Amino acid sequence: MLEFQILLPSIVNGLTLGAVYALVALGLTLIYGVLHIINFAHGSLLMAALYAAFFAHAGLGLDPYLAMPLLAAAFFVVGYALQRWVIGKASHGKDQNVLLVTLGISIAIENLALYLFRADTRTIETPISYEMLDLGIALVPYPRAIGFAAALGIAALLWWTIERTDLGRAIRAVAKERQGAKLVGIDVDHVFALSFGIGTAVLGAAACLLLPSFYVSPSVGNVFVLVAFTVVVLGGMGSFTGALVGGLAIGVTESVGGLFLGQQLGQLGIFVIFIALLLFRPTGLFGSRLA
């Protein structure tokens, strides 16, 4: 049995990791909540955002945290353009076509990155990369602590946007009844593209929070997209609250699982939870759209 002095720091570090997982999953759950499709390009777009953050630092000397607003804005434009002029046009309004198109985009982005950057793993160092924050009960790396606070702040901003703004009301209207939204004058295609853009902008922010303590390679998106799908299923497809709670729970599960099973098998508990949910509660903990 592990002592409490060892278990508690593991839980705290799991929460800091889980907040970033939740941020990645928030973009995925927003896209599902509005478009009602699974975005298979989510992981590849996160990988592209990590490369953008890497080269902004290596080439321009931009600190990833300072680059966050720029990358979020840039990837909003990328996401909007992809949905409005690629996914929307190629799918012809059929959900099964959307799945194939996003899968094709994922394969294209990953192979382009492999061609341009090879399979090399790249990392960066910042002045706080190896600094630790003493919380009394645990030592937390500064990048993890900043990522935790920023992820919660972005999640709160996203919730406020959806719940308290005209844009949010339009998004919720389209998510619940797109035909009715058209009848009251909402440009549904524009809202679709905005939602996809916001979901992709969140990935730009997540990449800036991840890079100081993680690495980037052409296959790195696969690491996070599997976890993000698990978070979305755990919390409930389309639920913001569920994505946040699910991300924190998955982060703690991975961290504590690493203590018992070793670092390489730490994620095993995540997939046990995933299978159990599919068997016993397929709607997730908060199974509602844009809740």
Side-chain angles (χ1 to χ4, degrees):
M1 189 69 178
L2 289 174
E3 294 185 4
F4 187 69
Q5 291 87 344
I6 299 175
L7 187 60
L8 186 58
S10 180
I11 292 172
V12 171
N13 277 281
L15 288 172
T16 61
L17 175 63
V20 180
Y21 282 162
L23 190 59
V24 175
L26 279 171
L28 192 63
T29 205
L30 172 63
I31 292 168
Y32 176 84
V34 178
L35 278 67
H36 309 308
I37 55 102
I38 302 298
N39 176 23
F40 284 120
H42 204 68
S44 296
L45 288 169
L46 175 61
M47 175 268 291
L50 282 163
Y51 270 113
F54 174 83
F55 286 113
H57 180 269
L60 303 176
L62 279 178
D63 185 278
Y65 302 122
L66 296 179
M68 192 188 308
L70 297 176
L71 258 68
F75 274 81
F76 170 82
V77 174
V78 169
Y80 185 98
L82 275 176
Q83 167 57 32
R84 193 70 189 260
W85 293 296
V86 179
I87 298 171
K89 298 290 186 184
S91 65
H92 302 292
K94 296 181 180 180
D95 289 349
Q96 63 269 31
N97 289 352
V98 174
L99 296 177
L100 293 173
V101 173
T102 57
L103 181 60
I105 291 171
S106 174
I107 294 170
I109 293 174
E110 189 168 329
N111 281 278
L112 179 62
L114 190 60
Y115 173 76
L116 293 174
F117 312 126
R118 304 295 183 260
D120 298 335
T121 296
R122 304 170 191 241
T123 59
I124 66 168
E125 288 187 14
T126 67
I128 60 170
S129 289
Y130 302 106
E131 297 291 327
M132 304 294 285
L133 177 64
D134 189 353
L135 298 178
I137 58 174
L139 290 173
V140 178
Y142 265 107
R144 287 275 190 92
I146 293 172
F148 178 80
L152 293 184
I154 293 168
L157 177 62
L158 190 57
W159 176 88
W160 178 82
T161 301
I162 296 298
E163 295 293 330
R164 297 287 184 265
T165 66
D166 290 340
L167 171 60
R169 283 185 277 273
I171 288 173
R172 284 186 283 123
V174 170
K176 290 179 180 177
E177 179 51 65
R178 66 180 68 177
Q179 204 60 39
K182 280 184 179 179
L183 292 174
V184 297
I186 295 174
D187 185 343
V188 171
D189 291 336
H190 180 58
V191 171
F192 278 175
L194 283 174
S195 301
F196 203 95
I198 293 170
T200 310
V202 170
L203 293 180
C208 293
L209 298 176
L210 280 168
L211 193 60
S213 60
F214 209 69
Y215 67 89
V216 58
S217 73
S219 62
V220 71
N222 298 328
V223 176
F224 286 95
V225 76
L226 290 174
V227 177
F229 276 123
T230 305
V231 169
V232 171
V233 172
L234 174 60
M237 300 293 281
S239 170
F240 285 169
T241 304
L244 184 57
V245 173
L248 296 175
I250 290 298
V252 171
T253 299
E254 180 179 343
S255 182
V256 174
L259 286 179
F260 288 96
L261 303 174
Q263 192 66 33
Q264 297 299 321
L265 296 176
Q267 287 193 340
L268 184 62
I270 297 175
F271 300 107
V272 171
I273 291 174
F274 183 73
I275 294 169
L277 274 167
L278 291 177
L279 289 174
F280 301 110
R281 191 176 173 83
T283 58
L285 299 177
F286 302 88
S288 60
R289 291 192 177 93
L290 296 180

